[in-house]
Amino acid sequence: MAAKSANNRANDGRMTQAERTALSDQRMFEAAIRLINERGTQKTTLKDIGELAGYSRGMANYRFGSKDGLMQELFSRFDDRWKEHLGSYVDNRSGVDAVLAAAGALRDFLKLESSYMRAMYLLWYEALGQESEIRNELAHHHEVYRKEATEWIRQGIEDGQIDPSINAEQFAVQYCAFIFGIVYQWLVNADALDLDSVFEEYEANTRKLLSKKR
């Protein structure tokens, strides 16, 4: 709805310069996502992004300076969107509730942002073959994800809802392995996975694993 309204304002000349810049950025990001999904990052050029977005072939280069610059901004925006989405699910939860809320957030994000998620994973996997800013940022993000999961478990142990024999750090590694592994399998063949069933089973097994033994 907001994008449609912005387009209408653009068509009748009522947009401010800031609004026009935001709209052109959004169109180029959408074009980049589409091209990355179709071709991969290596064959996606700034020229093609600008043209597909409806601008001159030099527009993307003028705005972002380089393809790396655009990709880093795309990554940053994706991260902001994911954090906002995750936060709305986890909120102030801790322990088992936080782990399962985060898993549910991923399940729904895959359904809501499938194209964006696919494009980001292509970007990330292609970045692994060389030292790059995106690879360094990705490593940092993985560290943050593990720390968050570790804290959820530690809080749950302190609250008395999680078995104190659980190793919080190791569980965090296994949790992240599940999260990223599911996304990878989904990217390879989404039709082979019943996401709702997969996450329901994960929820049941996680509750059994973490519940404090009587």
Side-chain angles (χ1 to χ4, degrees):
M1 184 67 69
K4 183 177 181 180
S5 176
N7 282 322
N8 290 339
R9 286 166 60 80
N11 290 336
D12 61 21
R14 292 186 293 119
M15 294 188 75
T16 66
Q17 180 58 43
E19 289 174 329
R20 285 194 292 271
T21 298
L23 179 59
S24 64
D25 284 357
Q26 183 60 34
R27 286 175 174 172
M28 285 189 285
F29 290 136
E30 291 172 354
I33 290 169
R34 176 178 168 183
L35 290 173
I36 290 171
N37 282 325
E38 291 176 355
R39 309 174 180 179
T41 60
Q42 297 301 318
K43 294 183 179 180
T44 295
T45 67
L46 286 179
K47 177 180 75 69
D48 291 340
I49 290 171
E51 290 180 344
L52 181 60
Y55 301 104
S56 67
R57 60 178 55 189
M59 178 66 169
N61 185 70
Y62 171 79
R63 174 64 182 84
F64 299 102
S66 67
K67 188 168 79 171
D68 283 346
L70 184 146
M71 295 300 176
Q72 288 174 19
E73 181 65 19
L74 193 63
F75 181 11
S76 178
R77 290 191 175 213
F78 175 85
D79 188 55
D80 289 343
R81 190 177 300 185
W82 164 246
K83 286 178 179 177
E84 181 179 359
H85 178 82
L86 177 64
S88 70
Y89 279 68
V90 175
D91 197 18
N92 294 318
R93 293 178 174 85
S94 62
V96 178
D97 290 341
V99 173
L100 298 184
L106 175 65
R107 176 200 60 216
D108 295 344
F109 200 72
L110 283 172
K111 297 176 182 180
L112 294 169
E113 300 283 3
S114 56
S115 294
Y116 207 163
M117 179 72 86
R118 185 178 298 277
M120 286 299 94
Y121 264 70
L122 288 170
L123 173 61
W124 296 338
Y125 275 111
E126 291 183 16
L128 295 180
Q130 57 185 345
E131 190 68 26
S132 67
E133 185 62 30
I134 289 180
R135 179 177 175 176
N136 293 335
E137 289 185 22
L138 186 58
H140 171 69
H141 281 71
H142 276 245
E143 182 179 357
V144 170
Y145 299 151
R146 289 191 295 271
K147 286 183 177 180
E148 287 180 343
T150 297
E151 187 59 27
W152 295 335
I153 300 304
R154 286 177 175 166
Q155 290 174 354
I157 292 174
E158 291 176 3
D159 294 342
Q161 62 168 295
I162 290 181
D163 187 338
S165 69
I166 297 294
N167 184 308
E169 290 83 359
Q170 290 302 321
F171 176 85
V173 172
Q174 294 166 15
Y175 162 79
C176 288
F178 168 78
I179 294 298
F180 292 109
I182 286 298
V183 176
Y184 181 71
Q185 292 182 67
W186 173 81
L187 288 173
V188 171
N189 186 0
D191 292 337
L193 299 180
D194 181 339
L195 284 180
D196 291 329
S197 294
V198 168
F199 281 90
E200 286 174 7
E201 184 73 12
Y202 177 76
E203 177 177 342
N205 290 336
T206 300
R207 287 190 184 279
K208 291 178 184 178
L209 173 67
L210 297 180
S211 295
K212 188 173 183 179
K213 306 300 184 292
R214 297 185 181 278

